[in-house]
Amino acid sequence: MAHRLAFLPNQGVPLAVKVTQTGSALLAPYDLRADAGTSHQYTLEDEVETELDVLALDNTPLDWQRPTQDSVWLRASFFDTLGRRVEIRADEVVPGTPEEQHFGGVAVNLYQQPDGANDAGADWVHQPLAVWARCQIRVNDALTDSDVLGVISLLEERSNGDSELLPPVLTLDLGHRRIDSNAQPVNRPLMAAEDLGMPGWRIVWEDVSYAQAPVMGVRVEKGDTPGNIARDMTVDLTSVLRANRLSESDKLGPGELLRVPMLIRATSAAPKKEHPSVALTWKEIVKGWTTLN
């Protein structure tokens, strides 16, 4: 397998981040203009049971390039307070612009000081993942919103006066505007949130688990399938399929370059061997002893 690894010249190694979370999350109203201080701040929160699955690849250092090589796969679902089943999906990132390079694509391992921390010795905040995604929202399996701007932020910060990192927190902001084909915002109500009296949604998962790993390029040889490549490299097959927008039955052509996140596949414990007990009779013991001697 080593001879098939492909390294692109003069480029860094891409990074993949995977988040899988099942359990409660906080659902709160959110208005994108609140970040600029021009909107009312909402305090209403609901606790909802959710399922979250994210795989994001940071492939391009300059995310204003079009098309960006960054990618994201997101599925989040929950039942809201009206009993509706809500599903949020994203398969595409939103690129930024040359003037606003930080806005767009996927970014990993960002560091910054907390707001108001001017002390040079203050602890820094670690942001393992930031993603600007093009989302769709379905309510009871009906599409209500498309091309919605979703901002995923995974954050770790230190507790006051302690060097220990607090549990990672993931936030998904869904604004009341969409992104057009030129990556420009267009004001539009978030239909899925209107029935709850909210302009948009902020969903917060506390104490999430995530994994980071480099992404290797693998040159496909004759007879290769996504499954045998994942087995040979001992990596998670689902992540390989999502990173390359493939299904397990897709055919691969020799010479194709496959992106392989080096996320180790889950392994189950080896089954316990059973050793049946055999009770020998006295005659069998004596016969065995006689034969040996």
Side-chain angles (χ1 to χ4, degrees):
M1 178 61 69
H3 70 283
R4 286 194 262 164
L5 296 180
F7 299 91
L8 299 178
N10 301 321
Q11 292 193 17
V13 176
L15 282 176
V17 181
K18 180 175 175 59
V19 182
T20 303
Q21 191 81 359
T22 301
S24 62
L26 293 177
L27 177 68
Y30 180 66
D31 189 331
L32 281 176
R33 293 174 299 175
D35 288 338
T38 59
S39 175
H40 176 68
Q41 297 288 338
Y42 297 88
T43 57
L44 174 67
E45 289 183 347
D46 293 317
E47 189 169 317
V48 292
E49 291 299 310
T50 64
E51 294 183 359
L52 172 68
D53 199 357
V54 178
L55 177 68
L57 275 63
D58 186 7
N59 292 294
T60 309
L62 299 178
D63 292 328
W64 51 265
Q65 295 177 346
R66 293 182 176 84
T68 178
Q69 296 301 309
D70 292 350
S71 63
V72 64
W73 191 98
L74 163 72
R75 295 292 185 273
S77 61
F78 60 90
F79 285 92
D80 65 18
T81 53
L82 298 179
R84 305 179 305 171
R85 184 180 185 276
V86 178
E87 184 179 27
I88 303 160
R89 301 182 180 185
D91 296 301
E92 183 182 356
V93 297
V94 176
T97 64
E99 296 77 21
E100 203 173 10
Q101 184 178 319
H102 66 281
F103 181 80
V106 176
V108 296
N109 294 336
L110 304 175
Y111 293 88
Q112 60 183 352
Q113 286 184 314
D115 292 339
N118 297 319
D119 183 2
D123 288 329
W124 287 67
V125 174
H126 176 213
Q127 192 167 355
L129 178 65
V131 183
W132 290 265
R134 195 186 305 273
C135 298
Q136 289 187 347
I137 303 175
R138 295 178 179 273
V139 176
N140 293 333
D141 296 324
L143 179 65
T144 59
D145 299 271
S146 61
D147 295 341
V148 174
L149 175 63
V151 181
I152 305 168
S153 178
L154 180 60
L155 191 70
E156 287 181 327
E157 53 186 330
R158 300 180 187 276
S159 57
N160 292 332
D162 195 342
S163 60
E164 183 179 355
L165 286 172
L166 295 175
V169 174
L170 187 140
T171 302
L172 172 58
D173 291 330
L174 296 162
H176 66 294
R177 60 182 181 178
R178 64 183 289 273
I179 298 298
D180 65 17
S181 58
N182 295 318
Q184 298 300 314
V186 178
N187 289 332
R188 183 179 178 181
L190 191 65
M191 304 298 294
E194 281 194 329
D195 288 344
L196 297 177
M198 301 177 178
W201 279 329
R202 166 166 285 177
I203 311 172
V204 181
W205 290 267
E206 297 181 340
D207 196 7
V208 300
S209 298
Y210 73 94
Q212 286 185 325
V215 180
M216 307 303 294
V218 174
R219 193 72 64 185
V220 174
E221 293 183 349
K222 185 177 180 180
D224 276 341
T225 65
N228 66 32
I229 289 176
R231 283 193 300 273
D232 288 347
M233 301 189 72
T234 323
V235 296
D236 177 52
L237 172 59
T238 302
S239 297
V240 175
L241 297 175
R242 291 173 180 172
N244 296 278
R245 298 179 181 269
L246 295 172
S247 66
E248 194 168 357
S249 60
D250 283 344
K251 303 295 183 182
L252 302 178
E256 287 186 41
L257 189 63
L258 208 62
R259 293 189 293 181
V260 179
M262 299 303 291
L263 296 160
I264 304 302
R265 68 183 178 210
T267 57
S268 57
K272 185 178 181 180
K273 292 183 179 180
E274 295 185 2
H275 300 280
S277 59
V278 178
L280 299 177
T281 65
W282 177 250
K283 288 185 178 180
E284 289 172 330
I285 294 173
V286 172
K287 183 178 179 181
W289 175 259
T290 304
T291 302
L292 289 174
N293 293 275

